[in-house]
Amino acid sequence: MKIEKTELADLQVTSICAIDRRQADEICLLAVTNLGIRVYLKIATEKIPDKEIAKHETVENIGQLFNYWRLLPRYEIVLIKLPIVQSASQILMNQNSLLPSNKTKLTSGLVSNRYQLKQSELSKENGLVVADGSDPTVEPDGIYAFMLNSAFQSLNAKKYSSSPYMKRPTPESISIISLSHEYETIESFQSKESRLFVPISLSNLLGHNLPKYFSFDRLMGIKTGNLALESLGDVAKQTYYNPSLLTVFTNQAIDFIVRIRPIDVLFQMLDIQVRLDSDIGFRSFVEKYGAADTCAMLVQLYCNKEQWYYVNTAADEEFRNQFARSDTGMMGMGMNRKSLLDFQVKCLQPYPELIEQAAMNFFQLGDLILKFETGYHIHNELYDTLGRVIEPEKRKYTSKVEGLIAYFGRLIRPIWNCHVFNRWAFIGHDVNASVEVFKKDELKLLRKKLIDLKSFMLHHNLLLLTMRDEFEEYNLKNSDRIPFYERGADPSQYPDYVNLQRMSEGRKNVPYSDMSNRKMGIIDDTLVLEDQRTLDNLYLLIERVIQTLDVLILIISDRNKMIECLYNIDFSECETILNARFSDVFREVESQYVLKSMLFIHLKRCHSSNFFDLGRSFISNFPQFFTEHDLTICEAERKLEQAILNLPERQALVNEGLTKLNQCIAHLANKKIVQLFPLFRELGLFPEYARLLIQRTKALTNLASGVQKEKSNLAENSHPPLMAKETISAIELENNHDLTFTREQIIKLLEELQASISTKPVPKNPRVFDFISQEERLKLRNKLVLEILNFKDKFTHISLIKWFLKHALYSELIDEIKSDFIEDAVLSETLPELMKLGILHKYYIKNKIYDKGYEIAIKLANYKESESLGVASLIALKPPEITLSERINYLRDAKYCLENLELQRIKKFDFNK
Amino acid sequence: MKNTDLKRLSDKKQRIEDYLPDFQQLFYTNNYTIVQLSYDETRHILYALAHDTNPGRFKILVYDLGITGQNFEFVLEITHNSLKNRYIFLPKFLLKLP
C-alpha cells in the first residue's frame, strides 16, 4: 500500500504512550498521530552478556533485574491501526475532513494484559469492533464484541450478525459498563490496569510481577509452564481472580469490558432460583460445567460471603422475559441483538437466602456419582492433566466430595509448589544472599479461606458424611460402572497430584467422622465408607495446612531476626530449611522437621526472655509441630548452650540439661540426636552422649515390647477398631527404624574414636576426637565400652563385639568384654574357624565359664585340619594349622575346666547342704 | 587556609552540562520542546515526544536507563521523516483497521 508523500505531509505525532512488558512482549511504544492513526513501534534489542549482568546482581537490585538486554538504535513499525471512525478507504482517499465532530477520534490506546486485540471487523456506520482471542490457553472460541465508544449508540444489527466471524455472545463472554464519570482521573487508571483482575494483596502469591528467579516456583505443570491457577482455566482461576477487565480509552469515555466468570453466572442462576423459584437455569449450568465443578463453585459461593459477583443485568432481564413467556427451554440464554446495547454489569454480594440456596443445591446435587462428568472440562485438555487433589488410581467419589476436594486444591495451589523460604541466589556465583518469604497478608487471606472451608465442613458434618437413600441405591446400582481414574501405576509421575491419604498423616487429634471408632466388619457400604475416609483425610489435611500457615505467619512476622538466626545455624540444616517447598511439609518427614526446627530457633534465639509462655502457646497453637516434649527438649538444648558460655555454673546447667533430655528420651527424633552431638562435643561430654544413646535404645525397646503386646491383644479381638491396625503397624515400623538408627549411632561413635586412635590426624580436616590426647582417647574408649556393656541389649552387644573383631582388637576383646552374647557374635563373624574358637576359648578360661570352656577346648584339641585335596597339597607341604604341642595344651585346659567344674559342683552341693 | 592534601585531578575545563544531573540533558535539544514524557518502568525506557517550533515536525527520543534504572543513555531518535518513510513502505498486512 502506498500513500503519497504529500498526503502525509502534516503527519504529526500528538501523543506517545509506553507499553510496558506486562502488556506486550515486543511492542514498546504507541504513537498516536493527529489523524488518529496509532503506530505501534518496536525498538531493537541486544542481549547483555552474563558477565555484565553479574555486576548488577546485588540484593538491592533484585527487584529491578527484569532486563537482560540493552537497546539498539534501531526501530521498527510493528503495527498501524487506523482511526476507528474511518474505514481504510476513507483514510486513503484523504477524507478525514469528513470526520463528524461529535464522533471523535481515539487519542490513546491500551493493550490489555490478557487480551490481545486483533480487530477484525469494522462497520462503517457504528464503529463496532470485534476483538479476537483472549488467553490462548483457555478459550479457543472467544470472539468478543464490544462497543468501542459510548458515542456510537445506533448499532446496526444486520451487519453484526452477517459477519462470518461473529458468534453469538454467551452470557459469560462480555459486557460493557461505562464508568468513566465515576473515575476522576484517567492517568491513574492506566498504570493500575493489571491489578484489576488480580487482587493487589495476592499478586505476589499468584506469581504476578515477580522477577523470573522466583516465578519458576509458582508454576504448576512442568510441560505447560503456566502459573499455578491459570493453567487450569477459567473454572479454577476464579477462586482467586476477579473477572478480567479490558479498558479502552477514548477522549470521551473509558469503557470497561468485563468478562464474566462461571461463578458469576452461577450466582445469577441462584439469584433467579431464590427470587423466581425456578431451577431451570441452575440445571443448565450443571449440564455445562458438570456436577463436581458446580459443587466446587457452590462451596466457594458459600465460603466467600463477602466477595463481589458480577451480574449481567441484560441476561437477567432476558431470562425474566423468557420465563414469563414459557417455562420450557432455556436455550435462548444468548442475547438478542437489542439487548446487547443494554449490557450492564452490576456488582452484587450474596445475601443469606442465596447462601442458603447454595448449600441446599450443594447437597441435592452432591450425592450423585456421575459416570461421566458432562461438560466443560472435557473440552479442555489442561483440565485433566493438572490440578486435582486426589489420589491417583482411585474411583470417583460423590460429587460433593469431588467438589470439596477440587475447591481445596485450587485454594492451596498457588502456594503449593513454592519454597517456604526462598533464597535469592544467582546462577554462577554464590551469594550474599537474602531470603524471600511470603507476604503475611497473603498467607492470612489464604488461611481465612481455608478456615471458612473447614467451618463449612464442620457445620454440615452430618450431611456430608451420609448419603440419601435414593442416591445410595442409584449409586450402588451403578457402582461397578463407576470409572476409576486411570493414571498409571506410578504416582511419582504425577507430581501435581496430592495424595490425600499420605499427606494427611500426622497427629490425628481431631477426627472428622467417627470412623476410627467404628468396629471392623459392621459396615459393608463401601461407597459411603470410601467417601468418609476421603473426607476424613481432607479434613485433617486442611487442619494441617492451616497450622502450617500459622507457623509460617509467626516465623515471617519476625523476618529479620529469623534470617539472622538462619545463618547462624549449622550449614546443612540451613540448606534443608531453604530447600523445603510448601508441599514437602506434608510429603516428607524431613521437611516437617524443617518447620519444627524453625520453631526451635525462634523459641531459643528470638525470645529468650519469655521462653515458657511462648513455648506453651506453641503447644496449644501448633499441636502438629510442637508438643510438650519438644518444649522440654528445647529447654534442655538451651541449658546446654548456656553451659558452653557460662563456665562457673557449667556443671549445674549440664546436669539440668541432661535430666531434661532423659525425661523425654523416647521423643527425641533421629535428627535431633545427630544435632545434639556438636553440643556435647563442645562440652566434652562423650560418655554422657553415649549414655544418652543407650538410654534411648532402652526406651525404644520398651516401647517395642508394648507394641507387640497391643498387637497380640488386637489379634484376639474379633471386631477390632477400624483404624487401630494401621496405626499400630505404623508405630511399629517407625519404632524399629529409630531403634536401628540409635544402635548404629552408638557404633558410629566408637568407630570414629577408633579411627582417631589408630591413624594419625589429618591437619586439613580435623576429626571429632583429634583435639584430645591419645591417652584420653583410649580411656574414653574403655569408658564407652563399659557403658555399652552395662546395658544388656543383645543387638548392641553383638554389634560391639563385631566392632572389636573388625578392628582386630582380640586381646582387648578378651580383656574388656563380658557378655552373654559373645558366642553368637563371634561365631557369626567371617573369620577363620580356628581363630574364632581360639578367641572363645581364651574368653571362657578368663571369665571362668568352665562348661563352655571345656567344650571349646575339646573341640580345638580334636580340630580337623582343613583337607587339601590331591597332589597339590603334598607338593605345597603346608605347615599344620595347629601344632601338636598346642593340641596338648588345649587338652590340658579341658582337663583344668573339668576339674574346676567338679569343684564347683561339690561346692554347690556342700552349700546346699 | 593551606591544604596541601587536596589536589585537582583533572585540568580539563568543565562545561556547565557536566555539573547538571544527567537527565537534564534532555532539555538541551535545539529548537525542540518536550511535549510529553512517558516512562516504561518494566523495561527502563524513557520516551520523550518533542515538537519542533516549525509545525508538523516532531521527534521521539528514546533513552535507556540501564539494567537497574540508574543510568541514563541516549539510544535513538525517531524523527518525522524516518517515521513517515517507513510508514509509506509498510507492508500491507501490517496496516490494520482499528
Side-chain angles (χ1 to χ4, degrees):
Chain A
M1 170 182 308
K2 278 193 177 182
I3 301 174
E4 288 301 317
K5 260 191 183 175
T6 48
E7 288 172 10
L8 290 166
D10 55 346
L11 181 83
Q12 166 96 3
V13 172
T14 53
S15 169
I16 54 172
C17 175
I19 297 168
D20 67 23
R21 240 172 54 117
R22 292 182 294 240
Q23 295 173 7
D25 283 337
E26 283 202 327
I27 301 171
C28 305
L29 181 67
L30 163 66
V32 186
T33 70
N34 54 346
L35 295 179
I37 300 169
R38 284 158 296 158
V39 184
Y40 290 85
L41 300 170
K42 173 190 159 189
I43 294 167
T45 55
E46 176 192 59
K47 202 171 178 289
I48 294 181
D50 287 346
K51 269 185 193 170
E52 209 163 308
I53 295 166
K55 279 185 216 159
H56 298 285
E57 282 178 334
T58 58
V59 174
E60 294 80 47
N61 282 339
I62 184 99
Q64 302 171 340
L65 290 176
F66 285 104
N67 298 323
Y68 273 27
W69 38 262
R70 72 161 76 86
L71 292 173
L72 293 177
R74 287 201 308 272
Y75 75 95
E76 283 170 42
I77 295 178
V78 185
L79 194 67
I80 287 182
K81 292 186 179 175
L82 302 179
I84 305 130
V85 283
Q86 293 174 307
S87 68
S89 56
Q90 272 177 318
I91 292 266
L92 295 175
M93 291 158 69
N94 202 10
Q95 285 179 335
N96 50 17
S97 56
L98 295 177
L99 199 70
S101 57
N102 62 338
K103 295 189 177 179
T104 46
K105 61 192 184 233
L106 199 77
T107 54
S108 178
L110 202 77
V111 178
S112 162
N113 210 351
R114 307 299 308 170
Y115 294 90
Q116 289 157 350
L117 291 182
K118 292 180 196 159
Q119 279 90 344
S120 58
E121 189 69 17
L122 171 83
S123 85
K124 278 180 208 165
E125 294 91 61
N126 46 45
L128 177 79
V129 177
V130 176
D132 182 19
S134 52
D135 186 348
T137 54
V138 184
E139 284 279 292
D141 58 347
I143 291 184
Y144 305 114
F146 57 89
M147 294 290 298
L148 197 64
N149 196 315
S150 45
F152 307 117
Q153 285 295 336
S154 57
L155 184 68
N156 189 333
K158 264 187 194 170
K159 272 269 162 63
Y160 181 67
S161 54
S162 66
S163 157
Y165 301 108
M166 296 292 180
K167 283 187 184 174
R168 273 207 316 199
T170 47
E172 56 273 344
S173 64
I174 257 346
S175 299
I176 295 175
I177 10 169
S178 292
L179 285 174
S180 54
H181 51 280
E182 288 174 20
Y183 277 80
E184 287 168 8
T185 53
I186 288 171
E187 292 87 43
S188 69
F189 198 79
Q190 180 187 341
S191 59
K192 283 171 188 141
E193 195 261 353
S194 66
R195 289 181 192 164
L196 284 173
F197 72 104
V198 185
I200 302 166
S201 55
L202 280 169
S203 60
N204 209 14
L205 187 68
L206 294 176
H208 290 267
N209 306 333
L210 276 179
K212 67 177 172 192
Y213 302 108
F214 305 140
S215 51
F216 187 73
D217 269 12
R218 323 276 150 128
L219 302 181
M220 292 293 271
I222 297 143
K223 280 181 206 158
T224 46
N226 277 321
L227 281 174
L229 277 173
E230 286 180 17
S231 60
L232 295 184
D234 276 3
V235 189
K237 218 161 79 173
Q238 62 190 354
T239 19
Y240 282 107
Y241 286 78
N242 290 333
S244 308
L245 271 176
L246 179 71
T247 332
V248 180
F249 281 171
T250 67
N251 67 346
Q252 284 202 337
I254 308 172
D255 285 345
F256 295 88
I257 292 140
V258 181
R259 177 144 184 246
I260 288 176
R261 304 165 297 173
I263 197 164
D264 294 321
V265 180
L266 179 64
F267 180 91
Q268 199 168 0
M269 295 303 146
L270 287 175
D271 187 36
I272 287 167
Q273 200 176 349
V274 171
R275 284 188 288 118
L276 301 178
D277 198 25
S278 139
D279 64 345
I280 308 167
F282 179 72
R283 260 190 254 158
S284 68
F285 184 86
V286 176
E287 253 167 50
K288 179 157 191 214
Y289 289 97
D293 264 319
T294 313
C295 279
M297 284 183 232
L298 285 169
V299 177
Q300 192 187 338
L301 255 170
Y302 185 91
C303 292
N304 296 290
K305 286 168 189 148
E306 279 146 30
Q307 193 92 37
W308 291 92
Y309 297 93
Y310 296 78
V311 172
N312 190 332
T313 48
D316 206 5
E317 281 303 315
E318 179 78 12
F319 180 84
R320 249 181 261 184
N321 294 340
Q322 290 248 342
F323 190 66
R325 260 181 269 133
S326 66
D327 279 1
T328 52
M330 266 306 296
M331 305 319 287
M333 273 307 292
M335 305 307 117
N336 62 25
R337 299 289 75 75
K338 264 187 187 171
S339 60
L340 183 72
L341 272 180
D342 306 325
F343 272 11
Q344 287 290 325
V345 172
K346 271 197 296 191
C347 273
L348 291 178
Q349 264 183 325
Y351 44 93
E353 289 88 16
L354 189 133
I355 289 169
E356 204 72 347
Q357 186 67 45
M360 226 167 84
N361 284 4
F362 177 83
F363 287 108
Q364 247 172 18
L365 191 68
D367 288 338
L368 263 180
I369 301 180
L370 287 185
K371 193 176 167 195
F372 297 109
E373 284 288 336
T374 53
Y376 185 77
H377 63 269
I378 292 171
H379 309 294
N380 191 342
E381 57 175 295
L382 287 172
Y383 188 92
D384 213 37
T385 52
L386 282 171
R388 293 206 144 198
V389 180
I390 218 161
E391 298 102 302
E393 285 203 294
K394 276 277 171 170
R395 73 161 182 81
K396 220 168 160 320
Y397 302 104
T398 45
S399 301
K400 58 187 178 191
V401 179
E402 294 255 320
L404 275 177
I405 290 172
Y407 177 58
F408 170 70
R410 287 163 194 168
L411 275 185
I412 58 165
R413 195 140 290 266
I415 201 179
W416 195 240
N417 254 4
C418 297
H419 282 105
V420 177
F421 302 96
N422 210 337
R423 181 166 38 176
W424 286 358
F426 306 111
I427 307 151
H429 52 117
D430 207 14
V431 222
N432 49 346
S434 181
V435 176
E436 186 225 27
V437 288
F438 295 112
K439 297 232 166 77
K440 210 171 155 189
D441 297 342
E442 292 174 345
L443 293 183
K444 276 187 178 161
L445 207 138
L446 178 59
R447 183 175 175 276
K448 190 182 163 285
K449 289 194 175 207
L450 283 171
I451 282 185
D452 285 343
L453 178 62
K454 192 178 132 189
S455 63
F456 172 80
M457 285 180 78
L458 278 179
H459 195 247
H460 299 283
N461 182 315
L462 201 67
L463 279 171
L464 272 171
L465 287 174
T466 51
M467 201 187 276
R468 270 174 297 153
D469 294 342
E470 64 263 33
F471 281 101
E472 210 167 313
E473 271 171 34
Y474 171 83
N475 288 335
L476 269 179
K477 232 191 283 167
N478 291 340
S479 67
D480 48 338
R481 285 186 284 138
I482 291 165
F484 280 70
Y485 287 109
E486 286 169 18
R487 289 182 180 134
D490 186 11
S492 63
Q493 283 182 358
Y494 304 92
D496 293 338
Y497 285 107
V498 175
N499 189 338
L500 269 184
Q501 173 85 46
R502 251 191 72 208
M503 300 253 170
S504 59
E505 274 169 18
R507 294 201 179 84
K508 303 198 173 185
N509 289 337
V510 201
Y512 180 62
S513 68
D514 56 344
M515 203 168 73
S516 49
N517 302 328
R518 279 192 221 163
K519 305 289 183 206
M520 196 82 122
I522 290 175
I523 316 160
D524 51 357
D525 182 7
T526 47
L527 283 183
V528 176
L529 196 69
E530 277 273 314
D531 267 12
Q532 287 181 351
R533 191 187 282 259
T534 315
L535 279 173
D536 244 4
N537 290 336
L538 178 68
Y539 183 79
L540 288 169
L541 183 55
I542 292 175
E543 199 140 88
R544 289 192 71 196
V545 173
I546 290 173
Q547 253 178 52
T548 313
L549 288 176
D550 278 343
V551 173
L552 282 182
I553 289 170
L554 176 92
I555 290 170
I556 285 165
S557 64
D558 240 343
R559 180 170 175 272
N560 289 339
K561 254 187 190 175
M562 206 62 237
I563 289 164
E564 201 179 295
C565 292
L566 204 59
Y567 286 99
N568 283 333
I569 57 170
D570 189 43
F571 181 71
S572 66
E573 196 180 335
C574 179
E575 281 297 289
T576 343
I577 290 176
L578 287 173
N579 284 335
R581 282 165 187 269
F582 189 80
S583 55
D584 290 346
V585 176
F586 309 95
R587 225 175 260 154
E588 302 162 5
V589 187
E590 191 98 327
S591 306
Q592 283 164 22
Y593 201 78
V594 164
L595 280 194
K596 196 179 210 173
S597 54
M598 287 308 275
L599 278 179
F600 266 61
I601 295 172
H602 192 86
L603 193 55
K604 268 190 297 186
R605 312 232 167 140
C606 298
H607 297 277
S608 44
S609 51
N610 50 356
F611 182 85
F612 282 102
D613 298 342
L614 196 69
R616 294 274 150 222
S617 75
F618 279 9
I619 294 169
S620 56
N621 289 335
F622 321 126
Q624 291 281 357
F625 294 100
F626 207 83
T627 56
E628 197 82 36
H629 304 293
D630 288 326
L631 183 62
T632 325
I633 293 169
C634 192
E635 208 187 329
E637 254 187 299
R638 188 157 155 255
K639 286 264 148 62
L640 290 177
E641 272 167 24
Q642 281 172 356
I644 294 174
L645 302 173
N646 191 347
L647 269 180
E649 293 169 31
R650 174 174 281 192
Q651 199 51 45
L653 281 170
V654 166
N655 285 344
E656 240 176 280
L658 285 178
T659 33
K660 290 268 177 214
L661 273 183
N662 276 329
Q663 276 172 15
C664 50
I665 194 87
H667 301 274
L668 276 175
N670 290 344
K671 215 168 169 192
K672 195 92 237 162
I673 291 276
V674 180
Q675 276 170 12
L676 279 173
F677 184 65
L679 212 60
F680 275 80
R681 186 185 59 195
E682 198 94 355
L683 292 162
L685 301 170
F686 295 111
E688 279 80 0
Y689 186 67
R691 209 173 293 150
L692 188 77
L693 288 176
I694 289 164
Q695 289 286 349
R696 185 169 187 242
T697 325
K698 263 185 203 170
L700 288 175
T701 5
N702 287 344
L703 192 63
S705 58
V707 167
Q708 280 301 335
K709 233 183 234 170
E710 191 71 20
K711 235 180 160 183
S712 58
N713 278 348
L714 266 185
E716 285 165 16
N717 195 344
S718 54
H719 288 298
L722 208 54
M723 310 296 266
K725 243 183 182 171
E726 287 173 24
T727 333
I728 279 204
S729 44
I731 291 175
E732 195 184 11
L733 200 71
E734 198 180 319
N735 195 28
N736 285 347
H737 178 253
D738 286 357
L739 205 54
T740 330
F741 178 85
T742 326
R743 283 175 185 145
E744 276 169 10
Q745 204 62 27
I746 295 173
I747 298 304
K748 217 168 130 191
L749 192 67
L750 268 180
E751 200 76 59
E752 252 175 64
L753 187 56
Q754 183 61 27
S756 55
I757 288 173
S758 54
T759 55
K760 278 182 184 173
V762 190
K764 268 182 190 171
N765 44 347
R767 284 163 309 196
V768 185
F769 294 99
D770 278 353
F771 67 96
I772 50 176
S773 68
Q774 183 76 8
E775 250 178 61
E776 274 180 67
R777 277 182 224 159
L778 283 173
K779 259 189 205 168
L780 187 60
R781 190 182 73 190
N782 292 347
K783 248 187 197 173
L784 288 189
V785 170
L786 264 181
E787 287 282 350
I788 297 169
L789 283 177
N790 278 339
F791 169 49
K792 299 264 181 286
D793 178 52
K794 188 177 174 184
F795 291 100
T796 324
H797 278 211
I798 288 179
S799 41
L800 178 69
I801 293 160
K802 288 197 169 186
W803 175 81
F804 269 105
L805 294 174
K806 186 182 158 198
H807 291 278
L809 301 167
Y810 304 122
S811 57
E812 283 90 341
L813 173 71
I814 291 156
D815 284 346
E816 290 172 17
I817 287 219
K818 204 176 169 198
S819 163
D820 299 340
F821 311 107
I822 192 159
E823 198 173 336
D824 294 345
V826 173
L827 288 181
S828 64
E829 198 71 354
T830 51
L831 282 172
E833 186 71 23
L834 202 59
M835 197 180 220
K836 286 196 250 181
L837 290 176
I839 291 166
L840 279 181
H841 173 73
K842 276 182 195 157
Y843 173 81
Y844 286 138
I845 295 288
K846 195 210 151 219
N847 288 315
K848 302 184 179 170
I849 305 171
Y850 296 118
D851 47 348
K852 288 206 170 159
Y854 168 74
E855 277 172 29
I856 297 285
I858 291 290
K859 243 189 206 172
L860 276 167
N862 295 330
Y863 187 75
K864 275 186 191 168
E865 297 275 327
S866 55
E867 285 180 24
S868 33
L869 295 170
V871 193
S873 67
L874 278 177
I875 297 167
L877 271 183
K878 275 206 293 187
E881 284 176 56
I882 302 185
T883 57
L884 193 61
S885 59
E886 272 173 340
R887 282 179 194 270
I888 292 171
N889 278 341
Y890 283 133
L891 273 181
R892 192 180 297 139
D893 283 346
K895 192 189 157 209
Y896 167 75
C897 285
L898 264 185
E899 282 169 4
N900 275 310
L901 268 178
E902 192 62 30
L903 268 178
Q904 272 178 358
R905 216 162 49 94
I906 292 168
K907 255 189 203 168
K908 225 182 197 173
F909 184 70
D910 284 349
F911 193 72
N912 284 347
K913 236 180 178 183
Chain B
M1 190 175 75
K2 282 180 186 175
N3 194 341
T4 48
D5 288 346
L6 290 175
K7 277 181 194 168
R8 189 167 183 178
L9 288 173
S10 154
D11 286 342
K12 202 180 119 193
K13 206 177 176 186
Q14 306 254 317
R15 287 171 298 141
I16 188 158
E17 287 90 333
D18 295 341
Y19 292 105
L20 290 169
D22 268 350
F23 84 96
Q24 294 203 2
Q25 288 173 5
L26 205 93
F27 301 106
Y28 282 81
T29 46
N30 302 335
N31 295 332
Y32 285 91
T33 46
I34 302 286
V35 180
Q36 195 185 357
L37 286 177
S38 181
Y39 178 53
D40 179 351
E41 60 180 2
T42 59
R43 290 195 179 90
H44 299 154
I45 307 175
L46 179 70
Y47 305 96
L49 174 66
H51 280 181
D52 195 354
T53 42
N54 178 11
R57 300 211 152 257
F58 66 90
K59 212 190 228 182
I60 298 171
L61 305 159
V62 182
Y63 295 88
D64 184 6
L65 304 202
I67 296 179
T68 56
Q70 302 295 316
N71 309 348
F72 190 84
E73 202 178 298
F74 174 74
V75 183
L76 80 156
E77 59 178 25
I78 300 164
T79 57
H80 175 250
N81 283 334
S82 78
L83 192 68
K84 206 163 71 182
N85 287 342
R86 293 204 191 195
Y87 184 76
I88 289 166
F89 298 110
L90 203 68
K92 194 175 177 181
F93 66 88
L94 282 181
L95 195 64
K96 294 255 167 106
L97 295 175

